[in-house]
Amino acid sequence: MTRVDRNGFAIALALTGVCTIAAGQEEESWIIQNARIHTLAEGAEPIESGSILIRDGRIVEIGADVTAPAGAAVIDAAGMDVYPGMMDSVSQLGLTEIGAISATVDTVELGEMNPHLRAATAIHPSSEHLPVARANGITHAVVAPGRLGGFGGGGAGISGQASIVHLDGWTVEEMDINASAGMVLTWPTLSTRSFNLATFSMDRRSFREAKEEYDRQVAELGEVLDAARRYAAAGEAGARERDVRLAALGPVVGGEMPLLILAQGEREIRGAVEFTKEQGVKMILLGGSEAWKVKELLVENGIPVILGPTQRLPGEEDEAYDQPFTTPGELHDAGVTVAFATFGSSNSRLLPYEAGHAVGYGLPQEAAVRAITVVPAQLFGLAEDFGTLEEGKVANLIVVNGDPLEIRTEVEHVFVNGVPVSLDNRHQSLYERYRSRPRPER
């Protein structure tokens, strides 16, 4: 059970002395009081000892002098901080449960060109990973198809459309924010080495052979987009036989939907930028392990980067040991728009720590917080409803007892789509189970 009955949740809070409800009134709204509120609105300072009134899924009023209406459920958050809910900019939440069991993994389909497929159709709302991520402050996420492998990789091609969902709901329809948020494209790699699963060894080929394959794959991508333009033009001229693949690419070539291009190396990033300039389409770079090498190019072309995990080893043997830690700060200082993502499912809960780790290596703390709240909302066209705490916006927010990027900070309350949700999760239940197991007598 993911969605919590409002009255039941309110009663539970009341029994713990955290929440009170006016006697004889059926609660229809929620108010968080006495908290330090970080709205993250441009130029706004935190509201000391402020309140947030929530009704019908949205923030109705926010400030230092908000009166609790009759019948409102009250959460006393004295000594706590309120932030916008975090957004995992690229994840596979709900698409994979246990990586070693193929029946629980639904991230890819046959073929290299599947622009008509939507991640939302495969999301499993009862996934155990959703409550775990939610309990650590992740309230909504971009769910992307493809062989992301936790952080990029896999064959080149168009995997399908990424979907944005709330991390709470009985059905995908209840969770839905935007089922077609971006088109995921894994950029071809130019490599003379590849791992052979049959022999468990490295296969080698000449640079000429690798370059020929790379050029062929890039040409095929260009041909697909050109065909989508012709298809869209034919549609405006009159009736024609429907092609679901080309129809799905219409918003991409029309400039309405971004291409989410997964590329890691400098050469691949440069190739992807050149390709999107020629095609006249929007690009958001995913992964970007070597984005620091082309930061001027990214700034010049206004291309944002959604970085993968910072808590990892360098990608190449000749890279500095701390390059994954310093890359976010380098890009930010250069003027590149940066967001963070986990590119996985079980590790989505680590999102705040990926951002927090970069703070110790040059990224300003405020920029790190905005990179998992405000910036993702802006990149995916959700800024009117998400990313900051302002009147009229969707009430996706968290109440914490410290800096949300610190691993010692505890998440006390989570609101998803204006509803307080349970923080119970499998990690917690297993911890409590084995912590209380009987100890054998010595």
Side-chain angles (χ1 to χ4, degrees):
M1 180 176 181
T2 55
R3 184 168 296 277
V4 179
D5 176 79
R6 297 190 180 191
N7 291 327
F9 189 77
I11 292 171
L13 289 178
L15 290 175
T16 62
V18 178
C19 172
T20 59
I21 304 176
Q25 296 286 336
E26 181 180 354
E27 149 270 328
E28 297 180 353
S29 56
W30 293 84
I31 186 166
I32 302 170
Q33 295 181 329
N34 306 317
R36 190 166 190 257
I37 303 172
H38 304 258
T39 68
L40 301 189
E42 195 67 38
E45 293 294 327
I47 302 172
E48 302 292 343
S49 192
S51 301
I52 303 178
L53 178 61
I54 300 167
R55 183 184 300 119
D56 296 329
R58 293 187 178 264
I59 297 173
V60 177
E61 192 175 355
I62 183 171
D65 299 309
V66 179
T67 303
V74 180
I75 295 179
D76 184 2
M80 302 181 193
D81 295 78
V82 180
Y83 285 86
M86 302 179 207
M87 178 175 176
D88 194 343
S89 300
V90 181
S91 79
Q92 294 199 311
L93 286 164
L95 298 184
T96 175
E97 200 70 9
I98 304 173
I101 302 178
S102 59
T104 70
V105 179
D106 196 0
T107 57
V108 295
E109 296 292 341
L110 295 176
E112 297 180 351
M113 298 293 174
N114 294 302
H116 57 299
L117 301 181
R118 294 179 178 178
T121 61
I123 293 175
H124 182 45
S126 297
S127 168
E128 293 284 2
H129 296 302
L130 271 66
V132 172
R134 200 171 59 217
N136 212 30
I138 320 299
T139 59
H140 49 299
V142 178
V143 180
R147 292 185 178 88
L148 305 183
F151 178 48
I158 299 176
S159 306
Q161 301 171 42
S163 303
I164 305 177
V165 295
H166 293 289
L167 297 195
D168 183 55
W170 289 101
T171 65
V172 172
E173 289 74 18
E174 287 185 6
M175 299 166 65
D176 177 64
I177 295 175
N178 183 357
S180 300
M183 192 68 68
V184 181
L185 189 163
T186 301
W187 192 254
T189 57
L190 204 166
S191 177
T192 58
R193 297 183 302 168
S194 61
F195 188 75
N196 189 325
L197 289 174
T199 62
F200 237 65
S201 61
M202 297 297 296
D203 288 342
R204 298 180 182 276
R205 57 182 174 174
S206 68
F207 180 82
R208 179 182 59 80
E209 293 174 322
K211 185 66 165 59
E212 287 177 353
E213 181 181 2
Y214 174 84
D215 291 340
R216 176 186 60 78
Q217 291 176 317
V218 173
E220 288 178 354
L221 291 172
E223 291 170 1
V224 169
L225 294 188
D226 290 339
R229 287 192 184 87
R230 294 191 296 270
Y231 181 83
E236 295 175 0
R240 81 288 195 213
E241 184 178 350
R242 181 164 176 76
D243 187 316
V244 294
R245 288 180 171 82
L246 296 182
L249 287 169
V252 174
V253 297
E256 302 163 14
M257 180 188 295
L259 267 181
L260 310 180
I261 300 184
L262 181 63
Q264 307 292 358
E266 177 185 1
R267 179 162 38 198
E268 287 73 27
I269 295 172
R270 289 187 181 277
V273 172
E274 180 181 356
F275 176 82
T276 53
K277 286 176 64 177
E278 293 176 352
Q279 292 290 332
V281 297
K282 296 179 182 178
M283 171 182 170
I284 297 177
L285 175 62
L286 308 186
S289 295
E290 296 187 353
W292 57 280
K293 294 182 178 180
V294 293
K295 52 192 175 187
E296 293 83 5
L297 177 68
L298 298 174
V299 172
E300 178 185 344
N301 292 277
I303 296 175
V305 182
I306 299 178
L307 293 170
T310 59
Q311 301 179 103
R312 59 180 178 84
L313 294 174
E316 300 293 337
E317 61 184 14
D318 58 349
E319 276 187 11
Y321 79 93
D322 61 352
Q323 189 59 60
F325 315 152
T326 62
T327 292
E330 289 184 48
L331 295 178
H332 176 268
D333 291 344
V336 179
T337 299
V338 174
F340 289 95
T342 63
F343 289 77
S345 181
S346 61
N347 56 357
S348 183
R349 61 191 172 83
L350 302 178
L351 178 66
Y353 314 139
E354 303 295 355
H357 201 75
V359 174
Y361 289 83
L363 183 67
Q365 197 272 350
E366 182 180 355
V369 174
R370 294 177 69 86
I372 54 177
T373 53
V374 179
V375 174
Q378 294 172 340
L379 293 183
F380 290 97
L382 302 176
E384 290 187 4
D385 290 319
F386 298 89
T388 61
L389 299 179
E390 299 178 84
E391 293 180 3
K393 291 199 171 185
V394 175
N396 276 17
L397 56 88
I398 59 175
V399 182
V400 296
N401 63 5
D403 183 345
L405 306 185
E406 290 281 352
I407 197 169
R408 294 173 298 179
T409 298
E410 296 178 344
V411 177
E412 304 289 349
H413 303 284
V414 173
F415 277 74
V416 176
N417 206 15
V419 177
V421 296
S422 171
L423 300 185
D424 292 341
N425 61 85
R426 186 167 178 80
H427 283 200
Q428 177 185 351
S429 63
L430 289 175
Y431 168 76
E432 292 175 350
R433 175 183 175 184
Y434 287 101
R435 186 169 184 266
S436 60
R437 67 180 179 179
R439 295 183 179 275
E441 295 182 4
R442 293 185 180 274

